[in-house]
Amino acid sequence: MQQKKGERNIKHVTMYTTESEYQLIMNKAEMFDISASKFAKQAVKMYIKHLEKHLQDAESIAA
């Protein structure tokens, strides 16, 4: 996802998870030898890209 021109970075976002989701994030981050916050940030970015693609596909079908 590209940052739009003039768009500012937000330095902190709180994400609430269940204990099992938190444990999953911790385990996956450990597998890739990165911090849990970095893993979660990458996962959210991937999810947003997937969602944008899905919405574009839905728009083209509706057109």
Side-chain angles (χ1 to χ4, degrees):
M1 185 158 126
Q2 291 281 334
Q3 185 171 351
K4 295 175 184 159
K5 186 175 181 169
E7 186 175 41
R8 64 187 180 101
N9 290 324
I10 296 175
K11 294 181 173 89
H12 181 80
V13 174
T14 301
M15 186 170 110
Y16 293 94
T17 64
T18 63
E19 289 180 40
S20 59
E21 290 169 334
Y22 177 76
Q23 199 58 48
L24 177 67
I25 290 168
M26 294 297 290
N27 291 340
K28 293 295 183 183
E30 202 171 283
M31 281 176 48
F32 296 109
D33 196 30
I34 60 174
S35 70
S37 61
K38 187 172 186 174
F39 179 83
K41 182 178 177 181
Q42 290 174 347
V44 168
K45 282 184 175 182
M46 285 177 51
Y47 175 77
I48 290 170
K49 280 184 182 178
H50 178 75
L51 183 60
E52 286 176 338
K53 171 132 178 49
H54 177 73
L55 292 173
Q56 286 174 351
D57 291 346
E59 286 175 0
S60 65
I61 290 170

